[in-house]
Amino acid sequence: MLDKLKYRLVFLGMSLILFYSCTQYKNKFINRTYHNLTAHYNAYFYAKESLKDGVTKIEQNTKDDYTKILPIFIYPTKESSKATFPEMDRAIKKASTCIQKHAIKDKHSKAEIPNAGKWIDDCWNTIGKSHFYKREFFSGAEAFEYVQAAYKGKQKFEAWLWLAKTYLELNALTQAQSYLHLCENDKKFPKEFKGQYEALYAEFYMKQNAYDDVIKRLKEAIKYTKSRSYKARYHFILGQLFEMKDDASKAKMHFLLAIKNKPIYDMVFYAKMKESLLLKDPASIAKAKRDLLKMTKDIKNEDL
């Protein structure tokens, strides 16, 4: 009998703790802990995964034109972006639900208390990114503007980068550069975003055909970029730029480095083709000819 009463009291105590920790209108440790855990492993997790699925679909469905200098980033066109609306809309919905249910709020004004929860700024950035990939740039910018104005953590710096991305896509170069300058001048700018920052500056210069500055920034981007697919892309673009500058040895080096990073098959094919065209000595030319003739027998190369 005493054991049953003991279990009931423990259950009642746990229920009361859970009830009081569930409220969003108390900025206490127990409330923040509950909402941080719930937000991270429920709504935000699914929002992040849905955004990731949409981006993967964009990258897989985008066909590059290797006869032109490749764009630094892979973005959908207005038409092709429609294929990922389900993933992006799901990400927006899940992230919005997370903010609605798990943001710590002032009990009088009912307004969110920024920086009280760990994952709410991530949710706002996820909403902004999803709108960006839907090419709803102004809706995305609103979310990023809120994060950079209200939050103090690393997501503020990420919002600056995505605002720069947004304005670059809108060809508003002055506005884009203002956010890149903020990143450059803030001593707290996270190292993990340095690769993206350098690549964005390269894109800023690419839009102005300032190719020497593009080369400089892409070399820096490679140093800080972990993704092998993006390293390969940056090396391929550097190969194209050095080829345009008639610097065959540097162009060849970067095409070989692109191949070394094991990119998609089409990039490997075109990197090999371009590297072959830059060869000078007869022995290397003869070897390249043998390799290319082998490639003609592979069914994968039929369309190429």
Side-chain angles (χ1 to χ4, degrees), residues 156-157 160 181-191:
K156 176 186 75 171
F157 300 107
W160 284 352
H181 278 165
L182 286 173
C183 298
E184 186 176 30
N185 296 325
D186 197 306
K187 292 179 181 178
K188 294 181 180 178
F189 186 77
K191 188 177 179 180

Side-chain angles (χ1 to χ4, degrees), residues 20-36 102-108 111-118:
Y20 283 109
S21 64
C22 281
T23 181
Q24 295 171 260
Y25 298 103
K26 284 188 177 182
N27 190 9
K28 303 290 185 183
F29 174 78
I30 191 168
N31 304 83
R32 292 195 300 270
T33 301
Y34 169 79
H35 285 289
N36 285 341
H102 300 298
I104 303 298
K105 299 177 182 179
D106 182 85
K107 64 181 178 181
H108 300 295
E112 176 192 343
I113 302 173
N115 304 294
K118 285 187 177 179

